[in-house]
Every structure is written in C-alpha cells, then in structure tokens.
Amino acid sequence: MSQEIISCFESQKATAIQWRTSSRKERAERIIRIQKWIETNISRIQVALYEDFKNTQPKQILVKSIL
C-alpha cells in the first residue's frame, strides 16, 4: 500500500476516535453543519447523482430520500 493511502487511513482512524469521544453537543453541531451544507449544495448534489446514474433529470432526484 502506498504511503499516501496509509496516511489517509491513519487520519481517518484519528478522526473516528475523536468523533466517538465527542460530546452530544458537538455531535449535534456537526449534524447541523452537514444539513446546512447539503441544503446549500443541493443542486450540485443532484447534478452529481445524475452524472453517476444517468437515469433521471437532476431536478427529479429526491436527495432527501437518501438522508
């Protein structure tokens, strides 16, 4: 495995441990930030889903159904 991949996995492990030990308030704040990001980027998400699946129009993709 390349050093870059190993480094990525190590970083993810550290983040996972940090998140597991975070407080309820910190987790709630993180979820709110994610929700806001999704709402802000909904058009980009729809286009990306369309490009991946190419089976429907971007505006017909119900992103909320995957949440």
Side-chain angles (χ1 to χ4, degrees):
M1 221 183 287
S2 77
Q3 184 58 39
E4 184 177 335
I5 293 172
I6 293 170
S7 177
C8 181
F9 279 122
E10 293 302 320
S11 174
Q12 289 174 344
K13 282 183 195 177
T15 299
I17 291 169
Q18 180 184 2
W19 284 11
R20 262 184 263 142
T21 59
S22 63
S23 70
R24 182 175 186 257
K25 181 182 176 186
E26 290 170 323
R27 291 189 304 272
E29 290 170 349
R30 190 176 309 114
I31 290 170
I32 290 168
R33 282 195 313 271
I34 292 168
Q35 286 175 326
K36 287 180 181 179
W37 183 90
I38 290 171
E39 291 168 2
T40 300
N41 293 284
I42 193 76
S43 295
R44 293 174 56 200
I45 295 167
Q46 288 173 320
V47 169
L49 287 169
Y50 171 74
E51 289 173 358
D52 282 349
F53 298 107
K54 301 226 191 270
N55 61 356
T56 188
Q57 294 299 315
K59 292 187 183 213
Q60 293 175 335
I61 296 171
L62 301 175
V63 174
K64 291 189 178 201
S65 66
I66 63 171
L67 298 176

